[in-house]
Amino acid sequence: MGARPRLLVVVVALYVASLVAAAENVTVGQLLPTSSYHRGAATYNAKNYGAKGNGANDDTKALMAAWKVACEASGTVTLMILPGTYYIGPTQFHGPCKASTLTFLLQGTLKAATDLKRFGNDWIEFGWVKDLTSVLFVNNQNAVARDITSVNNKFFHIALLNNNNIKLLNLRINAPSNSPNTDGIHIERSTGVVIADTRIGTGDDCISIGQGNDNIDIARVHYGPGHGMSVGSLGRYVGEGDVTRIHVKDMTFEGTMNGVWIKTWENSPTKSLAAHMVFENMVMKDVQNPIIIDQKYCPYYNCEHKYVSGVTIKDITFKNIKGTSLLPVAVLLRCGAPCQAVVLQDVDLKYKGQGGTSSKCENAKAKYIGYQYPKPCA
């Protein structure tokens, strides 16, 4: 008998957590129409296996029973948790599975049981499955996800959308350096996000902070390979929200394309703000572009650069940034309308090749404090 094919598990709108507050609800927003996810796939409805979704009956065994049937099916499989409130205690979704791809489609609300005696350390657990990928957290509050490993996914590994007070701790994310669109963690329209004690190596942005975010704290993350950490791209679409209060500290970038990168499109259809950000205590090891603000971002070959970005950048601090740059320009501040209140403090970036590093600035009102290498823009 040949080896069993590897299972790809796609978790849509899933809250994977240690038990933080027994009575907390985890609210999951309405997703795209169900048919767009499971067309052509074998589909299993948890309600056909005893789940009530009424917020009163205990659905723990029913959800695990539905998972078992879906896990044992062959081919492309979708397990649907329809809208409703599912009252559950400790729940385990375990493999190995026969399915080549299994989509866990959660459209309802999971409500934790209130009896703490039922719980050990965890509430919801996925175990003994291969290639857990594309975990999308939608409309969660007061959530904690920890100790997750994601390897060789097809697209992004983890995305946060419309979350409030969520922590991602001790994650391990890995994909080949040449794999496109494999962002490690993408954040959008969320507030109160904490990411800490994590290692990320991908073929795209390790962490990308999109539009509409506020109060994001990132600490002790090791990046590499990948494109580094980005704020943006911002300013491309109508109605984008501001990005404010970003604090990133104690980071290591190793062999990445970029270090910290703030990028905005020109000719933005809506005015917005990117402000109140601190990037401090960072080590750059052989990074191509350690510090970048680029308000003329365009990933295409033919870009005219006729317009000024509609995103206002102000109150940005880069502090205690040290290491080596693979390119001579280690600091690039390319602003459209003048960037306001940009501060560089104690920067020491050496060129890995012959000669020294340099800074390049355009419409940047920067203030320099402490040691500066490369030298500040004239």
Side-chain angles (χ1 to χ4, degrees):
M1 181 181 294
R4 178 176 294 172
R6 301 176 70 184
L7 170 65
L8 172 66
V9 179
V10 181
V11 186
V12 182
L14 170 67
Y15 171 61
V16 184
S18 300
L19 185 64
V20 177
E24 285 288 350
N25 288 359
V26 181
T27 304
V28 181
Q30 183 67 38
L31 302 178
L32 296 175
T34 302
S35 60
S36 68
Y37 282 94
H38 68 275
R39 185 181 292 115
T43 302
Y44 298 88
N45 182 347
K47 289 193 173 183
N48 292 337
Y49 298 89
K52 301 299 182 182
N54 59 15
N57 291 76
D58 193 325
D59 287 325
T60 306
K61 292 183 178 179
L63 292 188
M64 288 195 291
W67 167 269
K68 183 178 180 181
V69 173
C71 180
E72 292 178 350
S74 300
T76 301
V77 177
T78 297
L79 174 59
M80 295 171 52
I81 315 296
L82 294 177
T85 299
Y86 298 83
Y87 181 84
I88 59 174
T91 305
Q92 295 81 38
F93 301 110
H94 287 172
C97 297
K98 294 181 181 179
S100 57
T101 299
L102 199 164
T103 298
F104 188 101
L105 179 57
L106 176 57
Q107 294 181 309
T109 297
L110 302 183
K111 181 178 180 180
T114 57
D115 183 3
L116 290 175
K117 295 178 181 178
R118 296 181 60 180
F119 295 89
N121 294 322
D122 300 310
W123 177 28
I124 299 172
E125 176 183 283
F126 280 79
W128 293 273
V129 295
K130 294 182 178 180
D131 297 339
L132 177 65
T133 186
S134 297
V135 182
L136 176 60
F137 295 86
V138 181
N139 288 358
N140 295 294
Q141 294 189 23
N142 305 322
V144 178
R146 66 172 74 241
D147 305 327
I148 295 174
T149 297
S150 180
V151 180
N152 295 342
N153 68 318
K154 287 186 176 181
F155 302 109
F156 61 80
H157 291 253
I158 293 174
L160 307 180
L161 179 63
N162 288 330
N163 291 278
N164 181 26
N165 295 330
I166 183 170
K167 295 181 179 180
L168 304 182
L169 308 175
N170 193 33
L171 309 186
R172 299 293 181 266
I173 296 173
N174 295 288
S177 60
N178 61 349
S179 55
N181 301 318
T182 54
D183 290 38
I185 301 172
H186 179 72
I187 310 168
E188 195 155 316
R189 299 201 300 275
S190 295
T191 184
V193 176
V194 174
I195 301 172
D197 302 311
T198 289
R199 296 183 68 93
I200 303 174
T202 71
D204 212 298
D205 292 345
C206 298
I207 293 179
S208 55
I209 300 175
Q211 59 95 9
N213 290 299
D214 177 63
N215 191 22
I216 311 296
D217 283 289
I218 302 172
R220 299 181 302 281
V221 177
H222 184 284
Y223 300 99
H227 292 182
M229 177 184 172
S230 70
V231 177
S233 58
L234 306 176
R236 187 176 187 184
Y237 301 107
V238 173
E240 290 191 11
D242 297 339
V243 179
T244 55
R245 297 195 298 168
I246 310 297
H247 188 195
V248 183
K249 66 179 182 179
D250 303 331
M251 320 296 283
T252 300
F253 298 80
E254 187 169 3
T256 56
M257 179 182 296
N258 306 298
V260 177
W261 185 13
I262 301 173
K263 52 183 175 178
T264 74
W265 290 79
E266 296 176 294
N267 197 27
S268 308
T270 302
K271 301 292 185 181
S272 62
L273 178 68
H276 317 310
M277 304 182 191
V278 177
F279 305 93
E280 62 180 331
N281 302 336
M282 299 189 175
V283 175
M284 306 287 176
K285 297 182 178 179
D286 300 346
V287 174
Q288 293 183 35
N289 307 289
I291 297 174
I292 306 178
I293 295 177
D294 186 4
Q295 290 210 272
K296 296 182 178 181
Y297 171 72
C298 178
Y300 308 118
Y301 289 108
N302 296 317
C303 301
E304 295 182 314
H305 298 306
K306 288 184 177 181
Y307 308 99
V308 174
S309 177
V311 181
T312 297
I313 292 180
K314 70 177 183 179
D315 189 18
I316 310 294
T317 297
F318 302 97
K319 181 180 179 181
N320 192 27
I321 315 293
K322 304 179 186 301
T324 53
S325 173
L326 291 183
L327 296 177
V329 178
V331 177
L332 174 61
L333 307 178
R334 186 164 72 157
C335 301
C339 298
Q340 304 170 29
V342 175
V343 176
L344 287 89
Q345 180 175 350
D346 297 324
V347 174
D348 186 4
L349 296 168
K350 302 292 195 300
Y351 180 37
K352 196 65 181 290
Q354 295 181 352
T357 51
S358 63
S359 300
K360 185 176 181 180
C361 304
E362 181 179 335
N363 291 331
K365 295 182 178 180
K367 178 181 180 180
Y368 299 90
I369 301 173
Y371 182 81
Q372 296 293 325
Y373 191 85
K375 293 180 179 180
C377 294

